[in-house]
Amino acid sequence: MTQTGLLGEKPAEFPMETNHQLALAKGNIPDDVEKYRRLVGRLIYLSVTRPDLAYSVHILSQFIQQPRMEHWEAALRVVRYLKKNPGQGILMRSDSALSLKGWCDSDWASCPLTRRSLAGWFVLLGFTHLLGDLGVHHAHGMNLFCDSQSA
């Protein structure tokens, strides 16, 4: 909080607006773009145990190369959300079965800038969202769920 200057700021109820227009941002480029990159890098690391940040971090990381002031402000909102929700995260339960399940989804031509398709996925290991960073090797096949009727 002290590095972002938000120590005295009001906490946010949610990390990002639902109908944001960050892809269309035309504001000024911040003086210190490395500050944005460091903050987003920390949020990426934190999102491993905070799935509530996954969407926001996914969006913010798209602007690493050339962030605008709107992107910086959106990243600060995520920090303010973290201020409201300290101590949240994923804990591994001892009774968690090590069954592996995955979901994927795609949205054809939905990016407002490039009109490219966007895809998203996540993997569950037992009751948690942690997998690769734990170094767990799963010898059995994985169930993959998709909302596409053609798949």
Side-chain angles (χ1 to χ4, degrees):
M1 291 290 176
T2 57
Q3 291 180 355
T4 58
L6 296 176
L7 200 54
E9 291 287 322
K10 181 180 176 183
E13 293 291 325
F14 46 91
M16 184 173 281
E17 296 287 337
T18 305
N19 296 319
H20 63 82
Q21 297 291 319
L22 292 175
L24 304 174
K26 303 247 189 253
N28 294 332
I29 296 173
D31 294 333
D32 186 3
V33 295
E34 287 301 316
K35 195 173 181 181
Y36 177 82
R37 292 174 183 152
R38 283 191 303 274
L39 177 56
V40 172
R42 289 174 178 155
L43 292 173
I44 289 170
Y45 180 77
L46 185 59
S47 69
V48 171
T49 57
R50 295 284 305 254
D52 54 335
L53 301 179
Y55 175 75
S56 302
V57 172
H58 166 74
I59 297 299
L60 294 172
S61 65
Q62 294 177 16
F63 309 108
I64 288 287
Q65 290 296 351
Q66 193 173 17
R68 303 285 181 171
M69 287 305 292
E70 293 93 328
H71 306 136
W72 173 247
E73 291 165 4
L76 292 180
R77 181 182 182 88
V78 174
V79 174
R80 289 180 30 239
Y81 169 76
L82 290 170
K83 183 177 181 180
K84 172 126 177 105
N85 299 288
Q88 301 291 321
I90 296 176
L91 299 175
M92 293 294 288
R93 293 175 38 170
S94 62
D95 63 342
S96 177
L98 292 179
S99 62
L100 193 59
K101 297 177 184 170
W103 283 264
C104 69
D105 190 18
S106 61
D107 195 0
W108 188 74
S110 65
C111 179
L113 289 179
T114 63
R115 287 297 183 217
R116 292 183 181 167
S117 298
L118 298 176
W121 58 272
F122 71 93
V123 175
L124 294 177
L125 175 61
F127 299 131
T128 72
H129 297 242
L130 302 174
L131 180 62
D133 287 345
L134 296 175
V136 175
H137 302 287
H138 198 269
H140 305 292
M142 182 173 94
N143 294 326
L144 183 61
F145 303 96
C146 182
D147 71 347
S148 170
Q149 291 182 5
S150 63

